[in-house]
Amino acid sequence: MVFMEIPAKYDPSLTEDKWYSFWLQNRYFHSEPDAREPYTIVIPPPNVTGVLHMGHMLNNTLQDVLVRRARMMGKNACWVPGTDHASIATEAKVVSKLKSEGIEKSDLTREEFLKHAWEWKEKHGGIILEQLKKLGASCDWERTKFTMDPELSKGVINTFVHYYNKGLIYRGVRMVNWDPEGQTAVSDEEVIHKETSSKLYYLRYYLSNDGKAGKDFVIIATTRPETIMADVALCVHPQDERYFGLKGRKVLIPLINKEIPIIEDEYVSMDFGTGCLKITPAHDINDYEIGIRHKLPVIDILDNFGKLNEKAVILIGEERFAARKKIVKMLSEAGCLEKEEQYTSQIGYSERTNAVIEPRLSLQWFLKMEEASKEALNYVESDKIKLIPDKYKNTYKHWMENVRDWCISRQLWWGQRIPAWYLPDGDFVVASNETEALELARKSNPSIELSDLKQDNDVLDTWFSSWLWPISVFDPGKPGFPDKVPNSDLAYYYPTNDLVTAPEILFFWVARMIMAGHEFCNDIPFRNVYLTGIVRDKLGRKMSKSLGNSPDPIELIKSYGADGVRVGMLICSNAGTDILFDESQVEQGRNFSNKIWNAYRLVIGWNVEESLRQNEKSASAVKWFDNILSQSIETINDHFEKFRISDALMLIYKLFWDDFCAWYLEIIKPDSGAPMDPDTYKATMGFFDKLLKILHPFMPFITEELWHNLEERGQKESIMIAMQPAAKPYSPEYIKSFEQVKEVIVNIRNIRQSKAISPKNPLELYIKGGLSPEFYPIIKKMANISEIKLLESRADNNSGSSFMVDTAEFFIPLGDLVNKEEEIRKIDAEIEHLTGFLASVNKKLSNEKFVASAPKAIVDIEFKKKSDAETKIDKLSKLKNELLKH
């Protein structure tokens, strides 16, 4: 067989673009419904603003491994890609761009702004998907979707109308998380709580005597002195003896001398601060709820930008944190600042802009979640949807049982506009479009015209579109219409199989997709949810631009190759476990690519002589590797079924590097210049073919390159659509016997190293015990043994080194090279170790409860351990006695 000439060194840049283009040209990634079993994954749509980061690398490599493997298992694999319009992040990017051009958003109409936003999206929106191609992602790019595609947006609007008509969407004033920088409300799940160092300010509130400050005062502790002008009461616990008699009295707010009452409520913690709480309903959720109970007024002294408004009376126009510094000085000068203390607390930050969240009362749209959450919880608790790892079930349960209504409106322009139209009298109608809105409006006012209707300015939360993702990418007309018959794509691909995502969006994406799936398809959206860990640096820190500890994935691919990076990311990545990334991991991946390449070059360099018969050692090696390959395939299949993807990769890594290269190839390798027999060569190339197929989901590029070099391929042939090798019947006993052979060889090599004996010097080996003569030729070659003899007695060969493998005894005569005292010391150490081990086994077996209640197989194993240890101790004692005689 004539093979193509391949370079001496593997260069990923020569293969990656070539084979990716080949796959695209032949549409191997594309899927259409057919008679095969489908395997479906929808990509967690990255933000359209985004570029590839290490988290994306991990997530999408995992997805690609699952999809490529499913394709090679004969399934009709469909991986749907797309991007998310990311309302807050995208609008912030566009606003920033416009500012750099001297344009303010406020100077533009909505239509003008959206024109700029779409232009920005068309220019920058596809970057991350193009980067995923460099990674080797086998997405069905012909199915690429965007959450603001017209048909998908229509589905989002229909969904809103559907829930509104069911009475589950309502409009109301609620305390929301306000992002002063993003200029919008954000959900609870989009608030990141960080431990933040601040100060606790102790302030004097003087008791009022007919509107004038008396001598007595009450001290309150607050972290937000800039909000005192919004205070409407002070509150103490009704059982706090320190404040008995104060209920109903009034105090004066410092600096503005406004009277407010002292009230009592059991919410107050008597052991925090002074036990006296200032109540500011407009700026604290707990204060707001106390205010409702006591029918207190609400005074909002902050505007949308976090600046003090005219209701503050003082420091009007000052930004909230600047106002804090100034008011502390003013309080001190007024004699109202008792003291300051350093204080650390959890502060909420916007996930999108990193601005400190401002609790704020706001008129928003909400979706009731209580009923939907019950079904979403049932699907997971019943394991109809499996979370991997299942430790997240408790977290999920907690969220579902404590769910709050979802604030779905955002004060932005980029996104799906809320389909509510306001009539001149302040009433509103909800409809899918303005024509339907006009029809509904005319039911209450027949004379109304379209120009009289004003559509709500807000857009829907981005998650309100992405929760429909597994449905809308296949049938965008289904959301909003539970009774609509699904189209052929949705009927075939839904529910999808697996979802790979991050645990931090388990609630506000995964759970909501489950709710939407139940509502519109009466089914689950996916069967398994694989939750990745966070990629951290080697010091355990989360990667970020500010720390400069996040490598550029594209640069890593350029340096180490896509296959090397994929292996490096997955080799130490277990579900739900954070990854401490170090560049040495992708270097290990690149080295593995080189190992595969060099192994192939070694094999194709052998000269095959057709007349040559297979020798004994090659026959045994072929038989062993054939067995261990089937055993490994069986284990790999089990790992994949349990989503132990990193374990599967590690097994394949060791199978190729250790078993195939370090053992199998070294055993069968002809002497320098000698030919290879055709049977062994054919078997070896067959093994190589199977190994490349097993490796392909993890390392698509190098495996495609070498697979095409193994033999002549047709123009349309590709390893990615070849079938994964199946496990054949194998003999665990034969594999175990060969492991003993490997252990014998390793022991001999260790003896050579410890005695400084050159590998080129042949040695004799004496054997006593169970080792088949079939393996003698392998031991002779791999350990440079000139002759193997049966060990009857060491009377004539007492100067040497001995060792045991299981219960078999081995001795190598070394003449004057051996140190008898050293050998006895080693034997004593081994006997001591075995004696301790035997004592622990005997202790377990002397426990009548264990012997009576443990499964018979477990008890039998313990008796086997006892027997083996006793045999080894007996034989080692005899070896020691032999040495002592001479």
Side-chain angles (χ1 to χ4, degrees):
M1 185 179 291
V2 178
F3 294 94
M4 288 188 287
E5 187 72 26
I6 67 170
K9 189 177 179 182
Y10 176 56
D11 184 351
S13 66
L14 300 178
T15 61
E16 292 177 355
D17 288 344
K18 175 180 75 174
W19 289 118
Y20 203 85
S21 297
F22 171 76
W23 296 328
L24 287 175
Q25 288 164 9
N26 287 283
R27 301 180 76 205
Y28 291 138
F29 303 159
H30 184 58
S31 172
E32 291 290 342
D34 60 25
R36 291 175 293 167
E37 177 188 347
Y39 177 83
T40 318
I41 288 184
V42 291
I43 200 170
N47 286 356
V48 73
T49 61
V51 293
L52 203 63
H53 59 60
M54 298 303 287
H56 292 134
M57 291 278 280
L58 172 64
N59 185 292
N60 287 281
T61 299
L62 284 164
Q63 291 178 78
D64 195 45
V65 168
L66 293 171
V67 168
R68 286 182 180 271
R69 179 174 163 81
R71 203 178 277 124
M72 296 179 76
M73 300 296 283
K75 296 177 183 178
N76 186 358
C78 181
W79 183 14
V80 182
T83 50
D84 186 283
H85 63 274
S87 292
I88 298 173
T90 304
E91 185 147 326
K93 292 270 187 184
V94 176
V95 168
S96 177
K97 172 187 174 291
L98 291 172
K99 277 188 176 179
S100 70
E101 297 169 358
I103 304 171
E104 292 293 330
K105 178 186 173 185
S106 56
D107 297 334
L108 301 174
T109 64
R110 188 184 197 110
E111 290 69 28
E112 288 169 341
F113 177 82
L114 288 175
K115 183 181 177 184
H116 284 286
W118 278 107
E119 286 174 357
W120 188 94
K121 182 265 175 186
E122 292 306 318
K123 183 176 180 180
H124 300 282
I127 292 174
I128 193 166
L129 298 184
E130 289 303 311
Q131 291 176 321
L132 285 177
K133 294 177 182 178
K134 293 292 183 184
L135 185 63
S138 59
C139 299
D140 187 348
W141 300 110
E142 296 175 45
R143 289 182 175 273
T144 302
K145 296 291 189 291
F146 175 52
T147 51
M148 275 180 64
D149 285 341
E151 287 302 305
L152 271 69
S153 286
K154 189 175 178 182
V156 173
I157 298 304
N158 289 334
T159 296
F160 184 97
V161 175
H162 165 77
Y163 278 109
Y164 178 79
N165 289 336
K166 280 187 74 173
L168 295 177
I169 284 180
Y170 64 92
R171 191 170 182 246
V173 175
R174 296 287 187 279
M175 183 70 73
V176 298
N177 304 301
W178 183 259
D179 179 347
E181 190 171 322
Q183 284 293 287
T184 184
V186 296
S187 67
D188 290 344
E189 296 74 35
E190 292 168 302
V191 177
I192 306 300
H193 288 90
K194 303 178 188 177
E195 197 168 83
T196 304
S197 179
S198 59
K199 286 185 177 180
L200 199 57
Y201 301 92
Y202 289 78
L203 308 182
R204 294 178 179 180
Y205 281 62
Y206 284 88
L207 290 167
S208 175
N209 291 325
D210 297 325
K212 294 182 180 180
K215 294 182 179 179
D216 296 327
F217 54 84
V218 175
I219 297 175
I220 63 98
T222 180
T223 58
R224 302 200 64 188
E226 72 278 10
T227 64
I228 62 172
M229 295 80 77
D231 291 352
V232 294
L234 295 189
C235 189
V236 297
H237 195 283
Q239 295 177 5
D240 194 333
E241 296 178 358
R242 293 172 295 177
Y243 301 108
F244 280 178
L246 288 182
K247 182 181 178 182
R249 294 286 303 274
K250 293 184 178 181
V251 293
L252 298 174
I253 298 174
L255 302 181
I256 63 171
N257 293 322
K258 179 182 176 181
E259 271 192 340
I260 56 174
I262 298 175
I263 63 174
E264 293 178 345
D265 195 286
E266 291 184 351
Y267 168 79
V268 179
S269 174
M270 290 187 282
D271 57 2
F272 176 77
T274 65
C276 185
L277 188 69
K278 76 186 197 72
I279 306 301
T280 317
H283 302 290
D284 183 276
I285 182 62
N286 298 310
D287 291 5
Y288 176 67
E289 290 172 357
I290 291 173
I292 291 174
R293 288 197 292 274
H294 295 270
K295 297 181 173 57
L296 298 173
V298 176
I299 302 171
D300 186 350
I301 64 167
L302 293 173
D303 66 14
N304 290 355
F305 296 92
K307 294 179 179 180
L308 272 62
N309 61 29
E310 66 281 354
K311 291 180 182 178
V313 182
I314 57 174
L315 299 174
I316 297 168
E318 292 285 347
E319 191 274 331
R320 54 188 169 154
F321 297 117
R324 180 178 301 175
K325 291 180 180 178
K326 290 185 178 181
I327 205 166
V328 168
K329 185 179 179 182
M330 292 166 68
L331 288 163
S332 178
E333 290 172 349
C336 294
L337 179 63
E338 181 77 11
K339 62 177 179 177
E340 300 176 21
E341 286 181 354
Q342 286 299 127
Y343 182 67
T344 301
S345 62
Q346 293 287 326
I347 302 293
Y349 290 79
S350 169
E351 183 186 38
R352 305 297 182 184
T353 66
N354 203 39
V356 174
I357 288 297
E358 187 63 50
R360 188 163 187 240
L361 284 172
S362 180
L363 184 61
Q364 302 285 345
W365 290 91
F366 295 86
L367 173 61
K368 295 177 182 178
M369 300 288 279
E370 186 177 357
E371 287 304 313
S373 66
K374 291 175 183 176
E375 285 299 334
L377 177 57
N378 181 53
Y379 280 132
V380 171
E381 287 202 308
S382 64
D383 281 335
K384 195 168 183 183
I385 295 174
K386 291 184 178 177
L387 302 185
I388 301 148
D390 64 3
K391 68 179 182 180
Y392 287 107
K393 283 178 79 171
N394 286 335
T395 305
Y396 183 87
K397 185 174 188 287
H398 174 76
W399 279 338
M400 291 296 97
E401 290 179 341
N402 295 277
V403 70
R404 299 174 69 178
D405 288 354
W406 177 9
C407 176
I408 56 175
S409 47
R410 298 291 180 268
Q411 290 64 55
L412 302 165
W413 283 350
W414 176 248
Q416 286 96 1
R417 193 170 179 179
I418 288 176
W421 279 263
Y422 296 92
L423 284 66
D425 62 3
D427 198 5
F428 64 86
V429 293
V430 170
S432 295
N433 54 60
E434 59 182 18
T435 302
E436 292 179 9
L438 182 60
E439 290 177 10
L440 289 173
R442 281 178 172 171
K443 289 181 179 180
S444 61
N445 184 352
S447 63
I448 201 165
E449 297 296 331
L450 186 60
S451 59
D452 297 323
L453 299 180
K454 303 298 179 188
Q455 189 175 355
D456 197 301
N457 276 319
D458 291 354
V459 298
L460 287 159
D461 179 13
T462 302
W463 297 109
F464 198 82
S465 59
S466 57
W467 76 323
L468 306 171
W469 188 247
I471 305 170
S472 59
V473 295
F474 296 115
D475 187 354
K478 187 75 168 83
F481 301 100
D483 298 328
K484 177 181 176 292
V485 176
N487 66 11
S488 58
D489 271 6
L490 189 66
Y492 180 75
Y493 292 113
Y494 190 96
T496 67
N497 294 75
D498 303 323
L499 177 73
V500 181
T501 190
E504 55 261 35
I505 57 174
L506 178 58
F507 172 70
F508 60 98
W509 189 45
V510 178
R512 288 171 179 166
M513 283 190 287
I514 296 171
M515 295 175 191
H518 177 76
E519 181 73 14
F520 298 118
C521 297
N522 196 31
D523 203 350
I524 57 174
F526 28 70
R527 296 180 178 89
N528 303 293
V529 181
Y530 182 104
L531 297 159
T532 66
I534 297 171
V535 183
R536 301 181 180 274
D537 67 13
K538 58 186 177 182
L539 300 177
R541 300 175 301 177
K542 197 168 182 178
M543 290 185 170
S544 69
K545 287 182 181 178
S546 59
L547 288 175
N549 62 348
S550 181
D552 181 344
I554 299 302
E555 290 304 313
L556 286 177
I557 290 172
K558 287 179 182 177
S559 299
Y560 299 99
D563 291 332
V565 172
R566 289 165 67 109
V567 169
M569 291 299 294
L570 293 186
I571 203 85
C572 57
S573 167
N574 292 311
T577 304
D578 289 356
I579 299 157
L580 301 183
F581 176 79
D582 188 278
E583 204 159 317
S584 62
Q585 292 158 354
V586 291
E587 186 177 357
Q588 181 184 3
R590 180 189 62 189
N591 293 344
F592 189 37
S593 295
N594 292 335
K595 186 73 174 179
I596 297 166
W597 189 263
N598 292 334
Y600 177 75
R601 291 186 70 248
L602 172 69
V603 172
I604 64 169
W606 291 337
N607 177 37
V608 179
E609 189 173 303
E610 294 297 328
S611 61
L612 204 60
R613 292 187 61 188
Q614 189 179 53
N615 59 45
E616 289 177 303
K617 67 177 184 297
S618 293
S620 297
V622 168
K623 182 179 178 182
W624 163 69
F625 195 78
D626 197 33
N627 273 273
I628 199 168
L629 180 58
S630 284
Q631 184 189 56
S632 298
I633 290 170
E634 188 179 272
T635 307
I636 290 164
N637 291 342
D638 183 63
H639 283 327
F640 269 99
E641 285 175 13
K642 295 170 180 171
F643 288 89
R644 295 174 180 163
I645 298 172
S646 179
D647 291 344
L649 174 57
M650 182 56 76
L651 191 154
I652 298 167
Y653 181 95
K654 290 178 178 177
L655 177 68
F656 193 95
W657 195 297
D658 297 338
D659 295 322
F660 186 66
C661 293
W663 288 102
Y664 175 77
L665 292 183
E666 288 301 314
I667 292 169
I668 67 165
K669 185 168 68 177
D671 295 334
S672 181
M676 164 71 72
D677 71 273
D679 290 343
T680 304
Y681 192 76
K682 183 180 178 182
T684 304
M685 297 307 281
F687 293 149
F688 220 113
D689 178 84
K690 290 182 179 180
L691 288 167
L692 290 177
K693 288 172 181 173
I694 295 168
L695 279 163
H696 177 76
F698 296 96
M699 307 177 76
F701 294 108
I702 191 171
T703 51
E704 187 77 85
E705 177 75 11
L706 294 179
W707 191 76
H708 278 268
N709 275 275
L710 279 178
E711 61 180 76
E712 194 72 31
R713 307 287 182 190
Q715 285 188 344
K716 295 282 187 179
E717 284 190 272
S718 170
I719 192 173
M720 70 170 284
I721 54 172
M723 290 297 291
Q724 277 282 317
K728 300 186 298 184
Y730 62 90
S731 168
E733 293 77 18
Y734 196 84
I735 293 171
K736 183 180 178 182
S737 296
F738 204 91
E739 287 302 311
Q740 292 171 339
V741 172
K742 288 162 66 176
E743 196 173 339
V744 170
I745 294 165
V746 169
N747 270 286
I748 296 170
R749 289 174 176 173
N750 288 341
I751 289 170
R752 285 183 182 275
Q753 188 175 11
S754 65
K755 308 297 183 188
I757 301 170
S758 169
K760 295 180 180 180
N761 291 344
L763 299 171
E764 289 184 339
L765 177 66
Y766 286 80
I767 298 178
K768 185 178 182 181
L771 189 69
S772 171
E774 173 192 350
F775 301 118
Y776 289 3
I778 292 175
I779 295 171
K780 285 183 175 181
K781 175 176 182 178
M782 297 296 283
N784 192 10
I785 298 297
S786 59
E787 195 172 1
I788 297 178
K789 301 176 182 178
L790 294 179
L791 178 64
E792 300 297 338
S793 169
R794 294 201 305 169
D796 300 321
N797 296 295
N798 56 66
S799 181
S801 285
S802 58
F803 60 90
M804 294 182 71
V805 174
D806 288 336
T807 57
E809 185 181 342
F810 298 86
F811 175 72
I812 297 176
L814 297 174
D816 296 335
L817 290 173
V818 72
N819 183 325
K820 188 167 73 172
E821 287 73 21
E822 178 65 17
E823 282 296 299
I824 291 172
R825 188 191 67 77
K826 289 179 181 178
I827 290 172
D828 283 340
E830 180 65 12
I831 289 174
E832 183 181 354
H833 168 73
L834 287 167
T835 302
F837 174 74
L838 181 60
S840 67
V841 174
N842 283 332
K843 184 178 180 181
K844 188 178 287 187
L845 291 172
S846 66
N847 184 335
E848 293 179 3
K849 187 177 179 181
F850 167 75
V851 175
S853 60
K856 184 177 181 301
I858 300 295
V859 176
D860 288 346
I861 288 172
E862 294 303 316
F863 275 112
K864 178 74 165 52
K865 289 178 183 177
K866 171 183 168 69
S867 175
D868 286 351
E870 288 171 343
T871 301
K872 286 184 179 181
I873 290 170
D874 181 61
K875 290 188 175 183
L876 287 168
S877 299
K878 288 177 180 176
L879 289 177
K880 179 181 176 181
N881 290 334
E882 289 286 343
L883 284 170
L884 290 171
K885 287 179 185 177
H886 301 279

